[in-house]
């Protein structure tokens, strides 16, 4: 126990060492220069990142790890993005085939301009030159071959220009596990993605994205793995011929990946490499993932194993396995924030069991400026409970009064008016965000509570003013005068408005404490809040709404206009 306490004190001391340099403790005197004072944090508690139980992060594993529709990796590939992009086949690597057309222009010693078709034997015929074999040549080689043949007959003063004008269209069969198998037209140099997109893409349920074959006369001339294209941009580019077949084979072994990943997918694995390492090359994990739950079936029966992420690459997977990745590394520190009047940094990393007194005893403050007896704390969990309590009160209000029946026409009219008032009130009140203020200082004593991650500790400065707001004629901040009551301050602010409830006057202390204004001694820094009168004749309804208004004023310092 002594060792644990010593480690905790050492950690806190090292974190807060910078706060001691050149500063004074709570019991010393000092003046904080105005330029060095910390900027106050907004009153509203910022929303903190919370655990997502449905992803498996920080918590027990849910009964089912598969929720919603999960599609195969690569299913987004065929959405029409390739069907409208046809190649003209005229790039330098295009291989000339029978049926293509070549434009020939010759000038100088002879003049000639013709469009020459490539015949069935792969030749073009030039008058006075004869047949020239161009079959199998690439587009970039065509001009050199034709020019060489012409110069062999006319060696001087002859210029030659050739251009592949058009290519022979082809019809390619798309078969196997595709949405719409069939025969589709294109050019020899079109991508196989073009033909697959024409066929509606690969069948999401049965087709393979990793085993795509191109057949010519029942022989495989090319194989493609579309994962290579999706991840690395690599794709085989066979030159198609009329009658070629693109065959999509049945999907191979696949696993389902969910949890703390960028996208949930079914991933198809190579049958020769069914390892966790192979899957990690495909799946995109979120930062901080530390564990993976493997669920599946084996010869001995169903299994469910929870691996550290460092152990997972060596694990062998099987088709049908479900993998749930999770960030399950629990942090042993918390981060809290200071606001108000103090020396040093405003954020501190502390042990999870750190307490308020430990922090405050190490934070230096200007004693003559800081009201150390009005320390308060804002906490996310408190704000959430306050918000839920407010919403529950509003739901009960609607359920109780909006559905009530009326026995007379006059009563029905009253009900309509009340319903409109309730609806407007609920709409406004549901938008109020509580501050999550936790009163830790009372009667000059500060409770030594355990701190939580995200806590904001307020060290307020001494104030010389009193704020009067709510249903007063002239809301204002005035200099504190000892001995005056809350009602005298209200009178100095022009008095109550016609909508004010004179029996509902609150005083909010700097430490977050809320008290009624009757028979209390005001202090510098107090805020006087006058609540509105509920404009309904139904006493029970007025009492319920008044209580909700009171609660909102207490937890959010908000007075709604009724």
């Amino acid at each position: 126990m002594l060792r644990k306490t010593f480690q905790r004190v050492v950690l806190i001391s090292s974190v807060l060492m910078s706060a001691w340099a050149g500063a004074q403790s709570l019991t010393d005197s000092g003046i904080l220069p105005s330029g060095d004072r910390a900027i106050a944090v907004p009153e509203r508690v910022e929303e903190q990142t919370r655990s997502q139980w449905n992803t498996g992060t920080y918590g027990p594993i849910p009964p089912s790890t598969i929720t919603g529709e999960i599609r195969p990796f690569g299913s987004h590939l065929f959405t029409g993005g390739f069907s409208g992009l046809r190649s003209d086949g005229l790039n330098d690597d295009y291989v000339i085939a029978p049926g293509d057309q070549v434009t020939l222009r010759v000038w100088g010693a002879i003049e000639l301009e013709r469009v020459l078709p490539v015949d069935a034997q792969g030749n073009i015929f030039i008058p006075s030159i004869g047949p020239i074999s161009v079959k199998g040549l690439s587009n970039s080689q065509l001009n050199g071959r034709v020019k060489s043949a012409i110069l062999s007959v006319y060696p001087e003063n002859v210029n030659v220009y050739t251009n592949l004008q058009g290519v022979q269209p082809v019809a390619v069969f798309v078969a196997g596990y595709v949405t719409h198998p069939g025969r589709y037209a294109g050019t020899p140099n079109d991508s196989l993605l073009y033909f697959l997109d024409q066929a509606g893409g690969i069948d999401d349920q049965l087709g393979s994205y990793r085993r795509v074959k191109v057949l010519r006369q029942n022989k495989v001339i090319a194989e493609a793995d579309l994962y290579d294209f999706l991840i690395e941009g690599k794709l085989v580019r066979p030159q198609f011929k009329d009658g070629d077949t693109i065959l999509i084979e049945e999907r191979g072994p696949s696993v389902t990946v969910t949890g703390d990943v960028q996208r949930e997918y079914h991933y198809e694995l190579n049958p020769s490499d069914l390892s966790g390492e192979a899957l990690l090359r495909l799946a995109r994990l979120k930062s901080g993932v530390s564990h993976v739950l493997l669920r599946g079936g084996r010869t001995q029966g169903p299994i469910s194993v929870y691996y550290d992420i460092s152990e997972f690459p060596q694990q062998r997977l099987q088709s049908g396995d479900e993998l749930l990745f999770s960030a399950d590394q629990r942090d042993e520190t918390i981060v809290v924030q200071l606001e108000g009047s103090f020396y040093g940094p405003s954020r501190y990393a502390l042990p999870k069991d750190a307490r308020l007194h430990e922090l405050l005893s190490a934070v230096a403050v200007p004693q003559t400026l800081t009201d150390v007896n009005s320390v308060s704390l804002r906490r996310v969990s408190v704000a959430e409970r306050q918000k839920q309590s407010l919403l529950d009160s509003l739901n009960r209000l609607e359920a109780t009064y909006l559905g009530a029946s009326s026995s007379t026409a006059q009563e029905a009219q009253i009900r309509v008016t009340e319903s409109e008032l309730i609806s407007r009130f609920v709409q406004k009140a549901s938008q109020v965000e509580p501050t999550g203020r936790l009163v830790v200082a009372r009667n000059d004593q500060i409770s030594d509570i355990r701190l939580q991650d995200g806590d904001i500790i307020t060290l307020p400065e001494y104030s010389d003013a009193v704020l009067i707001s709510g249903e007063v004629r002239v809301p204002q901040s005035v200099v504190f005068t000892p001995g005056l009551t809350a009602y005298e301050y209200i009178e100095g602010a022009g008095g109550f408005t016609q909508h004010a409830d004179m029996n509902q006057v609150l005083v909010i202390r700097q430490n977050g404490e809320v008290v009624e204004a009757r028979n209390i001694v005001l202090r510098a820094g107090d805020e006087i809040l006058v609540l509105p009168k509920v404009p309904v004749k139904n006493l029970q309804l007025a009492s319920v709404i008044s209580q909700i208004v009171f609660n909102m004023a207490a937890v959010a310092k908000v007075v709604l206009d009724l």
Side-chain angles (χ1 to χ4, degrees), residues 18-39:
S18 62
W20 285 93
Q24 300 174 355
S25 68
L26 282 168
T27 58
D28 297 330
S29 60
I31 300 297
L32 179 65
S34 59
D36 294 334
R37 298 182 190 177
I39 299 175

Side-chain angles (χ1 to χ4, degrees), residues 350-372:
L350 305 171
K352 291 183 70 173
D353 60 348
R355 307 189 78 85
L356 181 59
H357 281 189
E358 291 177 303
L359 175 63
L360 294 180
S361 64
V363 175
V365 300
Q367 186 177 5
T368 58
L369 296 179
T370 306
D371 186 356
V372 295

